[in-house]
Amino acid sequence: DALAAMGAEKLHFQSDHSPILGALGIYIANLLEKLSQFGDPLWHDVKVHGPINEDNYKQQIKAFSTAMTAVKLLDAIKSVKNDFSYTNPNSFGQALRNDKTAIESKLEFKITRDAKDDIKLYSIAPLGGYPNWAKHKKALAEREKARQRDQK
């Protein structure tokens, strides 16, 4: 019991103080914000995102869920967190593998190996996954109602 408690405390400390987990959290929050804008008349660009429908929404999620190499994930994180301390993809990949348990406690995180190219691929998503189309449409409708109330 004592060892389990110490392990849980270590995991909690690790997840609260990991610069990687913080950066991954910012990256996922940015993806969720982009996804929330899908179909919102104030932000949605049909030329960029296509028509507002379930299939295109699922395509957005699929694009966000694509497994990436450490190089691509590092670039993606740096696009939303300029001051991220990792610059070397190899050390970043190693740190992801070292912090895997802590990351998994806060996010959906998988490491797979592409046997053909002999590289590791990293998949990341919010815990519970991305909102489905029905939840997304409901959130859009609630946002629109709030805007209409604010305009009155």
mmCIF file of all heavy atoms in Angstrom, residues 141-152:
data_model
loop_
_atom_site.group_PDB
_atom_site.id
_atom_site.type_symbol
_atom_site.label_atom_id
_atom_site.label_comp_id
_atom_site.label_asym_id
_atom_site.label_seq_id
_atom_site.Cartn_x
_atom_site.Cartn_y
_atom_site.Cartn_z
ATOM 1 N N ALA A 141 -25.043 25.895 -31.121
ATOM 2 C CA ALA A 141 -26.373 26.476 -30.931
ATOM 3 C C ALA A 141 -26.419 27.311 -29.644
ATOM 4 O O ALA A 141 -26.979 28.421 -29.638
ATOM 5 C CB ALA A 141 -27.421 25.370 -30.894
ATOM 6 N N GLU A 142 -25.808 26.808 -28.574
ATOM 7 C CA GLU A 142 -25.780 27.554 -27.311
ATOM 8 C C GLU A 142 -24.972 28.842 -27.447
ATOM 9 O O GLU A 142 -25.357 29.883 -26.911
ATOM 10 C CB GLU A 142 -25.215 26.677 -26.196
ATOM 11 C CG GLU A 142 -26.156 25.568 -25.778
ATOM 12 C CD GLU A 142 -25.530 24.574 -24.814
ATOM 13 O OE1 GLU A 142 -24.354 24.764 -24.411
ATOM 14 O OE2 GLU A 142 -26.212 23.591 -24.480
ATOM 15 N N ARG A 143 -23.870 28.778 -28.179
ATOM 16 C CA ARG A 143 -23.047 29.968 -28.412
ATOM 17 C C ARG A 143 -23.835 31.015 -29.198
ATOM 18 O O ARG A 143 -23.777 32.200 -28.900
ATOM 19 C CB ARG A 143 -21.773 29.572 -29.159
ATOM 20 C CG ARG A 143 -20.715 30.635 -29.135
ATOM 21 C CD ARG A 143 -19.455 30.234 -29.864
ATOM 22 N NE ARG A 143 -19.020 28.895 -29.538
ATOM 23 C CZ ARG A 143 -18.137 28.209 -30.258
ATOM 24 N NH1 ARG A 143 -17.611 28.723 -31.337
ATOM 25 N NH2 ARG A 143 -17.779 26.996 -29.904
ATOM 26 N N GLU A 144 -24.582 30.572 -30.200
ATOM 27 C CA GLU A 144 -25.380 31.489 -31.016
ATOM 28 C C GLU A 144 -26.499 32.121 -30.190
ATOM 29 O O GLU A 144 -26.755 33.322 -30.306
ATOM 30 C CB GLU A 144 -25.950 30.764 -32.241
ATOM 31 C CG GLU A 144 -26.616 31.674 -33.229
ATOM 32 C CD GLU A 144 -25.725 32.799 -33.736
ATOM 33 O OE1 GLU A 144 -24.507 32.601 -33.894
ATOM 34 O OE2 GLU A 144 -26.267 33.900 -33.972
ATOM 35 N N LYS A 145 -27.145 31.346 -29.322
ATOM 36 C CA LYS A 145 -28.180 31.894 -28.439
ATOM 37 C C LYS A 145 -27.590 32.959 -27.520
ATOM 38 O O LYS A 145 -28.206 33.999 -27.284
ATOM 39 C CB LYS A 145 -28.819 30.785 -27.594
ATOM 40 C CG LYS A 145 -29.799 29.925 -28.333
ATOM 41 C CD LYS A 145 -30.378 28.870 -27.393
ATOM 42 C CE LYS A 145 -31.209 27.858 -28.139
ATOM 43 N NZ LYS A 145 -31.668 26.763 -27.262
ATOM 44 N N ALA A 146 -26.404 32.696 -26.990
ATOM 45 C CA ALA A 146 -25.741 33.662 -26.105
ATOM 46 C C ALA A 146 -25.425 34.954 -26.859
ATOM 47 O O ALA A 146 -25.598 36.054 -26.323
ATOM 48 C CB ALA A 146 -24.475 33.055 -25.517
ATOM 49 N N ARG A 147 -24.986 34.831 -28.103
ATOM 50 C CA ARG A 147 -24.706 36.028 -28.911
ATOM 51 C C ARG A 147 -25.970 36.845 -29.134
ATOM 52 O O ARG A 147 -25.951 38.062 -29.060
ATOM 53 C CB ARG A 147 -24.117 35.626 -30.260
ATOM 54 C CG ARG A 147 -22.663 35.362 -30.231
ATOM 55 C CD ARG A 147 -22.099 35.307 -31.649
ATOM 56 N NE ARG A 147 -20.855 34.591 -31.579
ATOM 57 C CZ ARG A 147 -20.604 33.429 -32.148
ATOM 58 N NH1 ARG A 147 -21.488 32.856 -32.936
ATOM 59 N NH2 ARG A 147 -19.447 32.841 -32.000
ATOM 60 N N GLN A 148 -27.043 36.153 -29.445
ATOM 61 C CA GLN A 148 -28.320 36.847 -29.678
ATOM 62 C C GLN A 148 -28.796 37.536 -28.417
ATOM 63 O O GLN A 148 -29.315 38.656 -28.479
ATOM 64 C CB GLN A 148 -29.363 35.860 -30.215
ATOM 65 C CG GLN A 148 -29.072 35.419 -31.631
ATOM 66 C CD GLN A 148 -30.024 34.326 -32.118
ATOM 67 O OE1 GLN A 148 -30.921 33.902 -31.401
ATOM 68 N NE2 GLN A 148 -29.821 33.880 -33.339
ATOM 69 N N ARG A 149 -28.633 36.903 -27.246
ATOM 70 C CA ARG A 149 -28.994 37.536 -25.976
ATOM 71 C C ARG A 149 -28.148 38.774 -25.739
ATOM 72 O O ARG A 149 -28.645 39.803 -25.296
ATOM 73 C CB ARG A 149 -28.794 36.557 -24.823
ATOM 74 C CG ARG A 149 -29.950 35.680 -24.513
ATOM 75 C CD ARG A 149 -29.809 35.004 -23.153
ATOM 76 N NE ARG A 149 -28.513 34.383 -22.950
ATOM 77 C CZ ARG A 149 -28.217 33.105 -23.224
ATOM 78 N NH1 ARG A 149 -29.145 32.326 -23.735
ATOM 79 N NH2 ARG A 149 -27.031 32.625 -23.000
ATOM 80 N N ASP A 150 -26.848 38.671 -26.054
ATOM 81 C CA ASP A 150 -25.944 39.799 -25.821
ATOM 82 C C ASP A 150 -26.256 40.973 -26.745
ATOM 83 O O ASP A 150 -25.985 42.125 -26.406
ATOM 84 C CB ASP A 150 -24.480 39.368 -26.022
ATOM 85 C CG ASP A 150 -24.010 38.417 -24.939
ATOM 86 O OD1 ASP A 150 -24.696 38.313 -23.889
ATOM 87 O OD2 ASP A 150 -22.969 37.776 -25.133
ATOM 88 N N GLN A 151 -26.798 40.694 -27.931
ATOM 89 C CA GLN A 151 -27.120 41.765 -28.877
ATOM 90 C C GLN A 151 -28.383 42.521 -28.488
ATOM 91 O O GLN A 151 -28.593 43.639 -28.927
ATOM 92 C CB GLN A 151 -27.277 41.186 -30.291
ATOM 93 C CG GLN A 151 -25.966 40.770 -30.895
ATOM 94 C CD GLN A 151 -26.133 40.145 -32.272
ATOM 95 O OE1 GLN A 151 -27.250 39.908 -32.718
ATOM 96 N NE2 GLN A 151 -25.020 39.882 -32.934
ATOM 97 N N LYS A 152 -29.232 41.906 -27.658
ATOM 98 C CA LYS A 152 -30.488 42.561 -27.248
ATOM 99 C C LYS A 152 -30.278 43.588 -26.190
ATOM 100 O O LYS A 152 -29.443 43.852 -25.540
ATOM 101 C CB LYS A 152 -31.486 41.519 -26.770
ATOM 102 C CG LYS A 152 -32.006 40.681 -27.898
ATOM 103 C CD LYS A 152 -32.999 39.680 -27.378
ATOM 104 C CE LYS A 152 -33.489 38.796 -28.523
ATOM 105 N NZ LYS A 152 -34.443 37.839 -28.101
#
